[in-house]
Amino acid sequence: MKEQETCGVGAPRLQVIHLASGNPHKVQELQRLADESPASRLLHLSIVASERMPEVAEDTGTFVGNARKKAQALQALLPPGAWVLADDSGVCVEELGGAPGVESAYFAGPQHDSAANLRKLTEVMRDVPAGRRAAYFFCVLILRGPGGAEQIFEGRCDGTLAPEPVGGAGFGYDPLFIPTGYECTYAQLSEVEKNKISHRGRAWLILADYLSKLN
Ligand code: IMP
């Protein structure tokens, strides 16, 4: 596949972004966000999942640091000039001092078991009353271009934790998270509805605005 095309003068034109994620749910959400984005249509941009995404230790202690590691790891395997997009995200619970936060993927242990993570958060919060269940999802997207030039975009969605998991859509902690202004969890929303308000959807909007000014 052609990585880029030149548009006659100036910098190479951005047409393909490789997703630096091994999480199929994130890939699906980001691809749908891109598909429905006027900026992508304007640029004839495609966001492609990468089969070459390597395992990356998420050990930097920050969303930005972990996202950067993922982006760098994939970029190192692609032809020079390739653009990559990495996501690092998680849920931050006020009562837990912001945990699990950057450690959301391995809250219940190093095996990255999202059902166990969800069970653990449900249990840890079991006796916490309604007024102390504030939480937010946070997402960092890092876009890296040729030469390692990097742009960082952040999105946040505030809400509260439900007493028990509810809903079958989405992934991860979705069944426990009630976004502010809603009476249902992320996991009771369609992907389109979730994308409109989610931490990832909000980060994407800022990225799309950046992209629309690029070419
Ligand atoms: P990481 O970004 O690879 O560290 O993984 C983030 C972890 O946070 C995922 O494994 C999920 O458990 C959780 N997470 C991130 N975004 C979402 C989301 O949109 N819904 C539910 N859980 C999420």
Side-chain angles (χ1 to χ4, degrees):
M1 181 192 303
K2 226 183 211 178
E3 299 297 341
Q4 296 172 48
E5 275 177 6
T6 51
C7 55
V9 282
R13 185 164 172 171
L14 168 57
Q15 288 206 305
V16 177
I17 296 178
H18 301 264
L19 277 183
S21 177
N23 180 329
H25 302 283
K26 287 185 185 180
V27 168
Q28 189 176 315
E29 286 189 7
L30 285 164
Q31 283 186 317
R32 192 190 281 265
L33 280 162
D35 285 349
E36 292 177 359
S37 167
S40 317
R41 280 197 292 277
L42 196 72
L43 301 175
H44 305 289
L45 183 69
S46 43
I47 306 267
V48 297
S50 182
E51 284 162 15
R52 301 175 68 181
M53 185 63 204
E55 276 291 318
V56 173
E58 299 181 35
D59 55 6
T60 71
T62 66
F63 291 111
V64 168
N66 287 348
R68 180 176 292 129
K69 270 188 93 171
K70 294 177 201 176
Q72 286 172 333
L74 180 61
Q75 210 174 28
L77 302 177
L78 296 176
W83 290 74
V84 302
L85 178 65
D87 166 309
D88 200 67
S89 42
V91 65
C92 306
V93 181
E94 233 170 66
E95 180 73 8
L96 307 179
V102 73
E103 298 183 354
S104 293
Y106 41 94
F107 189 42
Q111 66 281 10
H112 287 215
D113 178 339
S114 62
N117 291 337
L118 178 64
R119 271 197 306 275
K120 178 169 174 185
L121 189 55
T122 308
E123 285 316 312
V124 167
M125 293 297 290
R126 177 145 322 275
D127 297 324
V128 178
R132 299 203 333 244
R133 300 182 68 86
Y136 64 90
F137 265 105
F138 195 71
C139 172
V140 167
L141 294 178
I142 290 194
L143 179 68
R144 275 177 77 90
E150 178 183 284
Q151 295 291 328
I152 301 174
F153 309 91
E154 296 179 350
R156 170 175 168 151
C157 179
D158 287 279
T160 56
L161 295 184
E164 296 288 344
V166 188
F171 69 102
Y173 299 94
D174 279 356
L176 214 48
F177 183 73
I178 303 173
T180 301
Y182 286 71
E183 289 183 3
C184 62
T185 66
Y186 259 0
Q188 292 174 288
L189 298 175
S190 69
E191 193 176 275
V192 171
E193 288 171 319
K194 180 185 168 189
N195 276 346
K196 280 184 195 154
I197 56 155
S198 77
H199 49 308
R200 191 163 296 104
R202 287 176 173 158
W204 171 267
L205 268 190
I206 307 170
L207 166 61
D209 184 54
Y210 170 81
L211 290 177
S212 66
K213 293 174 184 146
L214 250 193
N215 284 342

